[in-house]
Amino acid sequence: MIFAIISLILGALLGYFCNITIPAEYSKLFSVALLAGLDAVFGGLKAVTLKTFDNVNFVSGFFVNILLAALLIYIGDNLSIDLYYVALFVFGLRIFKNMSFLRHYMIKK
Amino acid sequence: MLSTKHSRVSIILVCFILGFMLAVQFHSTQNTLKSSTQYQRAEELSQRLLQIRHERDALKKQYAAQLKSPDKLSSAAVIEAGASAVEGPGLVLTIVDSDKKALADENVNLYVVHDEDMLRIVNELRAAGAEAIAINGQRVVATTEIRCAGPTISVNNERSAPPFQIKAIGNTETMENALKMRGGVIETLGVWGIKINMKAEKNINIPAYNRVNNFKYAVPVEKGDNK
């Protein structure tokens, strides 16, 4: 767990000092990708507590979710379907659900 | 299951990427904030402040340099230009708005001190031989304006509100008499209840003119060039 947090902080530092700015036209895609990544991580956390954590599942879920989310938004934009909000809704809902599950689990423990 | 080596590596990788993405997104958001108008306005103002500070410092230097190598200006010219503070005997006038109530059909404007009243007083003082005049601490020089600025009066582009204080160095008696003259300034303003308190003092201090004039259009002509 500690490794995970340390690597998270390291990544954040690198990202901050790399001075990368996402251009405005891709900011939508990136934010959804970020949300998908967060969702995958929370899903992983939940799996850990349920003791159903599967490494391949977790890693593939993380990357595929991110790419898929960005791709879907991109396609939606080109077809003028606002899938952005749908993705926000779905991922947001799932993150909240997973978080409340984690909370329940902690309280029970 | 966390303990297996593979999963640890993958979790570290995933967390690293997530952290990276979070930071990049954060950074981008900050940058978009910077392009918002309010932020830009603040930026612009601070830029201007900086620029004006530079200008001020440059002028200070220029001033100091000029002090070091004076062009042997005669003291008359120094006093006339307001280049230094001066002291001497003179009058201190305090001019206060009228506290009379305006009648219903009368213009309230008649009861407050106007730029024109100030101009008349200053003019009278000058006619009576005042050598240096200051209005609320602003030295009156050749380029000084006395202008109406809403409810205030602007002198040397510095606004001030009543009560106005005029300091004048010169022959106290002459100046006093000039102001108190029959049909003179004090009498006419007194009709409206505008009070002018006069006090003769042995030693008053009048500050220097605190602005730098850049003469853009007027160029001095050498004495020999006169045609």
Side-chain angles (χ1 to χ4, degrees):
Chain A
M1 209 56 180
I2 291 166
F3 291 104
I5 291 167
I6 289 173
S7 61
L8 188 73
I9 291 167
L10 276 179
L13 286 179
L14 183 76
Y16 195 75
F17 290 111
C18 262
N19 226 351
I20 300 171
T21 306
I22 306 290
E25 58 265 37
Y26 296 123
S27 68
K28 225 164 142 186
L29 299 187
F30 192 80
S31 56
V32 170
L34 181 61
L35 205 59
L38 273 172
D39 174 55
V41 170
F42 275 106
L45 269 175
K46 185 186 171 187
V48 169
T49 59
L50 285 175
K51 303 219 189 315
T52 55
F53 182 79
D54 178 41
N55 188 27
V56 179
N57 199 349
F58 175 62
V59 176
S60 66
F62 181 76
F63 289 108
V64 172
N65 257 7
I66 285 180
L67 293 176
L68 211 62
L71 187 72
L72 260 178
I73 304 303
Y74 178 73
I75 292 172
D77 267 358
N78 283 326
L79 298 178
S80 83
I81 304 167
D82 250 342
L83 287 176
Y84 174 70
Y85 298 104
V86 179
L88 279 190
F89 181 71
V90 170
F91 286 129
L93 201 69
R94 260 172 51 181
I95 288 173
F96 278 116
K97 259 188 181 166
N98 285 344
M99 278 210 306
S100 68
F101 174 84
L102 286 172
R103 186 170 47 83
H104 277 302
Y105 178 82
M106 297 278 211
I107 290 168
K108 262 190 215 159
K109 210 169 71 170
Chain B
M1 265 176 259
L2 258 175
S3 54
T4 57
K5 210 172 181 184
H6 260 325
S7 59
R8 186 172 285 176
V9 170
S10 65
I11 285 171
I12 287 174
L13 180 74
V14 164
C15 282
F16 187 78
I17 292 173
L18 190 72
F20 184 80
M21 284 171 79
L22 272 172
V24 168
Q25 177 77 351
F26 178 74
H27 199 82
S28 309
T29 316
Q30 295 287 307
N31 279 352
T32 33
L33 258 186
K34 272 181 197 168
S35 57
S36 71
T37 28
Q38 271 194 355
Y39 192 90
Q40 275 176 352
R41 175 87 182 130
E43 194 89 314
E44 194 187 303
L45 284 176
S46 65
Q47 283 277 326
R48 218 151 80 191
L49 180 67
L50 209 73
Q51 195 190 334
I52 284 171
R53 272 196 190 140
H54 276 306
E55 225 167 85
R56 180 200 63 187
D57 290 345
L59 285 174
K60 259 188 189 166
K61 259 185 212 160
Q62 199 182 325
Y63 177 68
Q66 233 152 45
L67 275 190
K68 266 181 203 160
S69 60
D71 289 342
K72 290 283 172 208
L73 280 177
S74 63
S75 64
V78 169
I79 293 171
E80 205 157 341
S84 75
V86 288
E87 56 179 9
L91 281 185
V92 178
L93 305 176
T94 320
I95 301 146
V96 194
D97 281 349
S98 173
D99 46 14
K100 272 190 194 167
K101 275 254 190 245
L103 299 175
D105 56 340
E106 269 182 328
N107 191 350
V108 193
N109 269 331
L110 293 170
Y111 292 92
V112 295
V113 183
H114 284 281
D115 46 330
E116 286 152 26
D117 307 333
M118 300 291 283
L119 273 169
R120 279 190 64 190
I121 295 168
V122 169
N123 202 32
E124 204 61 56
L125 286 170
R126 276 184 163 159
E131 287 166 4
I133 301 173
I135 300 175
N136 278 4
Q138 288 296 325
R139 180 75 166 266
V140 178
V141 294
T143 51
T144 297
E145 89 289 2
I146 298 173
R147 213 177 119 243
C148 177
T152 57
I153 288 178
S154 141
V155 179
N156 284 347
N157 265 326
E158 200 71 53
R159 291 171 178 198
S160 51
F164 299 104
Q165 191 193 45
I166 301 183
K167 287 181 180 175
I169 292 179
N171 187 329
T172 349
E173 237 171 85
T174 323
M175 290 195 293
E176 237 182 297
N177 290 338
L179 290 176
K180 280 183 178 163
M181 184 168 68
R182 222 157 211 279
V185 193
I186 291 186
E187 202 182 306
T188 34
L189 291 180
V191 172
W192 306 109
I194 291 171
K195 283 190 289 276
I196 303 182
N197 291 321
M198 215 174 341
K199 222 167 61 183
E201 280 184 25
K202 284 229 170 83
N203 196 18
I204 55 179
N205 207 321
I206 289 182
Y209 180 58
N210 60 0
R211 250 149 243 275
V212 176
N213 277 341
N214 283 323
F215 293 104
K216 257 192 271 177
Y217 302 103
V219 179
V221 178
E222 294 292 321
K223 269 194 181 145
D225 291 355
N226 280 350
K227 279 168 199 164

